[in-house]
Amino acid sequence: MSGPFSAIDISASGLAAERMRMEITANNIANAGTTMTETGDPYRRQAVVFSAAMDEIGTANSKEGYHGVQVVGIEGDMTDFPEVYNPGHPHANADGFVRLSNVKIPEEMVDLITASRSYEANTRAISLFKEMVEKTLTLLQGGR
């Protein structure tokens, strides 16, 4: 979509994408202590994959075909699970080691702050566009 309101569409796509990112990050934090899931493994960290939203005829160098960002998937972090020696844990193996989730709380907090800042920037862009349209309409009506 192009036209004067495409800026709002682009910002709205950023809001939706960052909201999804915050939900996935919150889910990662909530499950950081999960040592066994339905699959028998500890909880595996999830990450949102973004892509530029484009028209079928649009290209990366064309302003006409660009629509912001979209979530194209959610992928599991394939890094190894850390292990700790805790023979009293109910999920300890025969050697007494427990596999932990690969979620790192400091990294999740950085992701959450980054997503929050991006969300705020998109919200601000929409507000500024709204103010600009309101002032334009006021000027067209002969007001100040």
Side-chain angles (χ1 to χ4, degrees), residues 7-144:
I8 290 180
D9 293 337
I10 291 171
S11 292
S13 73
L15 289 174
E18 294 302 337
R19 183 182 56 83
M20 174 64 78
R21 184 175 173 193
M22 285 189 270
E23 288 177 9
I24 295 299
T25 303
N27 192 42
N28 286 340
I29 292 171
N31 288 297
T34 303
T35 55
M36 185 169 291
T37 61
E38 298 156 352
T39 63
D41 287 331
Y43 177 78
R44 186 171 294 281
R45 179 182 183 271
Q46 303 291 307
V48 177
V49 179
F50 294 136
S51 174
M54 312 281 279
D55 272 345
E56 291 178 14
I57 59 171
T59 64
N61 297 326
S62 169
K63 291 180 182 176
E64 297 296 322
Y66 189 66
H67 293 287
V69 66
Q70 65 183 11
V71 175
V72 294
I74 299 170
E75 294 183 348
D77 182 348
M78 301 310 287
T79 58
D80 292 333
F81 296 116
E83 291 184 349
V84 295
Y85 183 71
N86 186 358
H89 194 281
H91 299 143
N93 64 16
D95 297 328
F97 287 95
V98 178
R99 293 188 314 157
L100 304 174
S101 171
N102 60 356
V103 174
K104 296 175 183 150
I105 296 297
E107 289 180 10
E108 298 303 320
M109 293 307 297
V110 169
D111 276 355
L112 197 56
I113 291 169
T114 304
S116 176
R117 297 282 190 252
S118 295
Y119 192 91
E120 290 171 6
N122 282 303
T123 302
R124 182 74 180 138
I126 290 172
S127 295
L128 289 174
F129 184 78
K130 180 183 164 196
E131 287 177 26
M132 186 174 69
V133 169
E134 287 174 352
K135 287 183 180 179
T136 301
L137 289 175
T138 301
L139 288 172
L140 289 173
Q141 293 171 347
R144 290 181 155 205

